């Protein structure tokens, strides 16, 4: 008689608050909430709408301390030895 394959038991874990401050990690770039005026300037400069920006989830640990709401724009500044400082923008979404 052949034995049935062992099936893993799915685990469910409750979502907890971040225990570790991820903003202090060396590999996490600086995240800054962009003001309304800066948002308007950014969108006008590149002739885009906020819907066209890449998204970042509201629950992302790197932006939890910023007090963001859906629709806000986040400026992400990455520093690299070869490229120098590179700036990215993301729109906060709930899903």
């Amino acid at each position: 008689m052949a034995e049935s394959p062992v099936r893993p038991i799915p685990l469910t874990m409750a979502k907890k608050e971040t225990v570790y401050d991820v903003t202090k990690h060396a590999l996490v770039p600086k995240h800054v909430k962009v003001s309304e005026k800066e948002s308007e300037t950014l969108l006008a400069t590149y002739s885009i709408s906020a819907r066209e920006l890449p998204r970042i989830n509201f629950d992302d640990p790197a932006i939890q301390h910023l007090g963001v709401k859906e629709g806000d724009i986040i400026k992400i500044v990455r520093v690299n030895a070869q490229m120098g400082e590179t700036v990215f923008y993301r729109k906060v979404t709930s899903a």
Side-chain angles (χ1 to χ4, degrees):
M1 185 180 261
E3 291 185 33
S4 62
V6 177
R7 295 184 185 179
I9 299 171
L11 297 175
T12 57
M13 303 178 102
K15 186 174 182 178
K16 297 181 180 180
E17 290 185 29
T18 305
V19 177
Y20 176 73
D21 185 3
V22 297
T23 62
K24 304 292 185 204
H25 194 280
L27 297 177
V28 176
K30 182 178 177 183
H31 290 67
V32 180
K33 182 178 173 181
V34 176
S35 71
E36 286 294 322
K37 186 175 182 178
E38 288 174 300
S39 295
E40 292 171 8
T41 304
L42 168 74
L43 299 174
T45 300
Y46 293 105
S47 300
I48 59 172
S49 68
R51 289 183 2 197
E52 297 175 274
L53 289 172
R55 297 178 299 236
I56 187 168
N57 197 331
F58 176 83
D59 292 337
D60 193 300
I63 63 171
Q64 290 296 304
H65 68 286
L66 298 176
V68 297
K69 63 184 184 310
E70 188 172 354
D72 286 343
I73 296 177
I74 303 298
K75 177 181 179 180
I76 303 171
V77 182
R78 293 187 176 124
V79 179
N80 183 306
Q82 288 81 25
M83 298 294 293
E85 191 175 277
T86 309
V87 178
F88 298 87
Y89 293 94
R90 302 282 187 266
K91 177 185 167 195
V92 177
T93 62
S94 61

